Amino acid sequence: MHDVIVLGSGLAGSLTATILARHGHDVLMLEKGSHPRMAIGESLLPTTAMWFWILGQKHGIPEITTLSNLESIYKNIAPRCGAKRGFGYIYHQEDQSLVDPDNASNFISPLLATTRESQFYRQDTDEFMVRAAQTYGVTYRDQTTVVDVAIDEDEARVHLADGTVVKGRLLIDATGRNSILAEKFGLRESPPRQRHASRTIFAHLRGVRAFDEVAPEVCRRRRSATWSEGTLHHLFDRGWFWVIPFNNHQQSKNDIVSVGLTLDANVHPKPADMTPEEEFWQFVRRFPVVERQLRGACAVRGFVGTGRLQYSSSRCTGDRYILLHHAYGFLDPLFSRGLWRTLEALDSVVDRVLPALRSDTLDAAQFEYIERMQASMLDDNDQLIYNAFRSLRSGDTWAAFIKVWFADELLMTLMTLSAMLKYVGSGDASSFDMLLGEPRPCMEAPYAADLQIFLDTMEEQLDRFEAGTIDSGDVYRRVCQMLSAAKSLPQNLVDWSVRKEFGLDLVPPRLLRLLWWGRVKAPHAIRRQVFDFSIRTLANLQLRAAVYPQSLARDVLGNVVNQR
């Protein structure tokens, strides 16, 4: 009889198993396949890196903290992940030979000594966490097929293909789309409840050129990082390409780039007479800048084409079972929020599972918050992605939407950064309590209501645009007016009405502007709840980042840097 049986050994499963074992529980982790293996979900956000750090600190597991920092990944895992300094977005028209700076946005993260974002080469990071789980006492079995599951009042039983039956007090399903428990208990909603519908084609390629070399017209403004030091998104009407390089610094031992194409399944239905690879290159040829970047690249393994990406479940908890984030539902990889939301959800799951195991009360009522939280996360992300794809109909509507996304991203990142800085300054794990909320983490942030207003207003303007009562220029102007008047946004940090090369490079002078706003000009609730950390703590982290040994994240694309 194990305390917990975890189904699936991706990052969600192995992290959960490791944390529960670290707290003294007997954990069995079952995996149908084996490691190493390819997985997508490779691009980290600043918030994602912070959450790896938070979970590692909170539970005393340095292996999780390792995943929060590119240098520590190279030192402790393998030199095959990519550097990640920012997010780049380029909006394209078909047959457009040059990038229009008005449709280019780049957001560059600050350098901190605690966290350095990376682009995960998942076959390395996932295998590392599976090995770490075993060092903390997790019993791991791979190449193990589950054929049935049974749960009664006293225990959960998992029947394996070899005839073995393993028992546990609690089942945690981290098997993703092919969730064993969703199938067993008929939890999948058909059709899924998300409004958004998309499909994707992806592969790992060799021979992808650096974007800075193929589009010098958007590289003239001096920044602390190049476009190739992060995740690049090529966007067009109802679709987008991702380009996630693992080869974007000189110390990398990996020449692979992750590339994918995501399409609105209603506007771009799957053709019956093309392979995924043929369809992928057909779309590439429509956009000259993308074609220049990918020309001559070849796949290191076959292209994968999916059906509709979206799926959802009627519930994610029951007596003695929990479906983790991506076993419950999934939306779309645009904006790379999958890992971030997984870590937030995982934190809340663990915080409720640990006392439930101690008291041996493992009924669904103990996990009601998990039910509300994961449903809210899925619905929130659906609104974001559904309207992002709608905005791709024109450059103006996309330019409006990217500002709304950035406002949301900036303020939510500030909340997480504040909790991290308070913990660094005090060593008190209760600093992380500010990230709690109802119905999901951070919803008690003092600007949460404003962020919802921004998203709702964007949706209303897109409704009117699609109905023909306003044009795309009206959408852009009205959204800019809303953001420029918002007291919850740092108006001294970025001009919310600017169109050309909209973005932000959070170098130290701009961090000082942000700090001044937060301490002096922001609404009282924001000053009191978000910017009440020690300035000395932030200064020390910045100083440590400045005197660090030569950062991998700065040692990027020597030929491109030399050209600059």
Side-chain angles (χ1 to χ4, degrees):
M1 172 67 75
H2 302 277
D3 290 326
V4 181
I5 299 175
V6 176
L7 307 175
S9 66
L11 278 177
S14 59
L15 288 166
T16 303
T18 303
I19 293 171
L20 294 177
R22 173 69 176 81
H23 286 275
H25 292 289
D26 181 342
V27 182
L28 171 66
M29 182 164 61
L30 302 176
E31 167 59 46
K32 182 177 181 179
S34 62
H35 292 273
R37 65 185 183 201
M38 178 189 179
I40 57 173
E42 300 148 322
S43 178
L44 269 63
L45 296 165
T47 314
T48 316
M50 291 178 202
W51 266 105
F52 277 115
W53 190 90
I54 287 169
L55 288 171
Q57 296 295 317
K58 188 174 178 178
H59 298 286
I61 304 175
E63 289 86 351
I64 300 179
T65 304
T66 291
L67 297 175
S68 71
N69 192 300
L70 181 65
E71 279 83 2
S72 63
I73 289 173
Y74 268 60
K75 180 179 179 180
N76 298 291
I77 303 178
R80 299 201 293 180
C81 290
K84 172 68 185 297
R85 286 294 315 283
F87 263 60
Y89 297 90
I90 307 291
Y91 186 83
H92 299 264
Q93 302 285 350
E94 287 198 29
D95 301 322
Q96 179 180 305
S97 60
L98 296 174
V99 172
D100 180 354
D102 283 357
N103 290 324
S105 305
N106 201 5
F107 305 92
I108 300 174
S109 307
L111 287 171
L112 295 174
T114 48
T115 57
R116 301 280 178 92
E117 299 145 74
S118 58
Q119 308 198 125
F120 279 178
Y121 190 54
R122 290 287 300 270
Q123 68 182 56
D124 288 348
T125 55
D126 290 25
E127 184 178 26
F128 170 76
M129 274 313 306
V130 168
R131 293 181 182 276
Q134 294 173 78
T135 69
Y136 284 90
V138 173
T139 301
Y140 175 59
R141 292 182 60 177
D142 64 3
Q143 296 183 336
T144 300
T145 300
V146 175
V147 295
D148 196 14
V149 172
I151 298 177
D152 59 30
E153 183 178 346
D154 299 318
E155 64 185 16
R157 296 181 299 280
V158 179
H159 297 255
L160 307 179
D162 65 2
T164 305
V165 178
V166 293
K167 300 178 181 180
R169 297 164 60 200
L170 177 69
L171 276 181
I172 296 181
D173 189 337
T175 51
R177 171 181 287 274
N178 298 316
S179 165
I180 293 169
L181 296 184
E183 173 68 22
K184 170 65 179 179
F185 299 126
L187 302 178
R188 283 288 188 255
E189 295 174 324
S190 183
R193 68 174 179 268
Q194 296 95 322
R195 293 181 292 173
H196 178 58
S198 64
R199 61 188 181 90
T200 194
I201 302 168
F202 61 89
H204 281 173
L205 306 183
R206 285 195 178 99
V208 176
R209 298 177 66 190
F211 181 70
D212 310 78
E213 296 175 350
V214 303
E217 62 269 23
V218 292
C219 301
R220 293 170 185 154
R221 179 181 294 180
R222 188 168 182 82
R223 297 179 175 87
S224 65
T226 68
W227 286 80
S228 297
E229 289 180 69
T231 301
L232 181 61
H233 307 75
H234 295 293
L235 308 121
F236 56 92
D237 188 6
R238 304 301 180 103
W240 60 284
F241 295 90
W242 76 73
V243 181
I244 303 176
F246 307 120
N247 63 345
N248 62 352
H249 51 85
Q250 292 176 343
Q251 296 189 46
S252 174
K253 305 300 182 185
N254 192 351
D255 61 354
I256 289 173
V257 176
S258 176
V259 179
L261 168 64
T262 305
L263 300 164
D264 186 315
N266 296 318
V267 177
H268 303 289
K270 193 173 186 178
D273 57 347
M274 285 188 187
T275 66
E277 182 170 6
E278 289 169 340
E279 186 183 12
F280 177 86
W281 291 112
Q282 181 198 60
F283 272 92
V284 168
R285 289 190 289 271
R286 297 183 187 184
F287 304 98
V289 176
V290 180
E291 197 276 333
R292 286 202 300 272
Q293 186 174 19
L294 300 184
R295 184 184 301 150
C298 59
V300 301
R301 56 175 60 87
F303 279 79
V304 176
T306 73
R308 185 178 178 185
L309 290 170
Q310 292 68 46
Y311 56 91
S312 61
S313 304
S314 56
R315 61 180 299 108
C316 62
T317 62
D319 293 345
R320 297 190 181 274
Y321 75 81
I322 298 171
L323 276 66
L324 283 183
H325 191 52
H326 284 158
Y328 170 67
F330 183 77
L331 204 85
D332 189 288
L334 185 60
F335 303 127
S336 299
R337 290 191 169 187
L339 272 177
W340 166 21
R341 292 303 195 192
T342 294
L343 299 180
E344 281 187 326
L346 190 156
D347 180 60
S348 294
V349 166
V350 168
D351 279 355
R352 284 151 183 83
V353 165
L354 288 172
L357 286 169
R358 286 194 296 269
S359 64
D360 199 29
T361 50
L362 297 162
D363 57 281
Q366 303 301 312
F367 308 131
E368 189 57 38
Y369 174 80
I370 298 170
E371 194 70 52
R372 295 192 302 274
M373 171 195 63
Q374 296 201 141
S376 178
M377 284 180 169
L378 189 65
D379 295 342
D380 171 65
N381 202 30
D382 186 37
Q383 182 182 28
L384 182 78
I385 303 297
Y386 172 71
N387 288 303
F389 269 71
R390 293 172 74 201
S391 76
L392 290 173
R393 288 188 58 188
S394 80
D396 285 337
T397 50
W398 168 255
F401 187 87
I402 195 64
K403 295 176 191 298
V404 171
W405 167 82
F406 177 61
D408 187 90
E409 197 73 28
L410 174 66
L411 294 183
M412 298 309 288
T413 300
L414 278 176
M415 193 75 173
T416 311
L417 176 62
S418 176
M420 189 176 76
L421 291 173
K422 290 174 186 178
Y423 174 79
V424 172
S426 68
D428 184 357
S430 67
S431 302
F432 302 131
D433 291 348
M434 66 184 288
L435 301 178
L436 304 176
E438 181 69 47
R440 63 180 184 276
C442 291
M443 284 308 292
E444 293 177 11
Y447 35 66
D450 283 358
L451 293 180
Q452 189 60 54
I453 290 171
F454 298 160
L455 290 168
D456 290 344
T457 301
M458 185 75 231
E459 182 165 343
E460 291 165 6
Q461 296 303 313
L462 288 172
D463 287 344
R464 296 182 66 187
F465 171 62
E466 290 185 344
T469 59
I470 59 174
D471 63 25
S472 61
D474 292 329
V475 175
Y476 180 78
R477 286 187 293 273
R478 292 175 184 184
V479 169
C480 287
Q481 288 170 1
M482 172 187 67
L483 297 176
S484 297
K487 293 182 179 180
S488 57
L489 292 176
Q491 301 296 335
N492 67 329
L493 186 66
V494 62
D495 184 348
W496 296 95
S497 64
V498 72
R499 177 66 182 271
K500 186 172 184 178
E501 292 188 71
F502 175 76
L504 180 66
D505 187 357
L506 272 173
V507 291
R510 285 196 174 88
L511 278 176
L512 287 175
R513 285 192 215 170
L514 179 60
L515 183 61
W516 182 83
W517 172 79
R519 290 280 187 161
V520 178
K521 300 294 289 184
H524 175 72
I526 295 177
R527 282 181 277 151
R528 181 172 56 85
Q529 296 180 44
V530 181
F531 284 88
D532 57 337
F533 53 80
S534 166
I535 296 177
R536 177 178 294 180
T537 299
L538 178 60
N540 286 340
L541 290 181
Q542 283 294 105
L543 181 62
R544 285 170 56 197
V547 299
Y548 235 72
Q550 180 67 19
S551 169
L552 293 174
R554 292 180 178 177
D555 188 19
V556 176
L557 293 168
N559 56 334
V560 175
V561 174
N562 290 338
Q563 289 173 14
R564 268 198 326 193

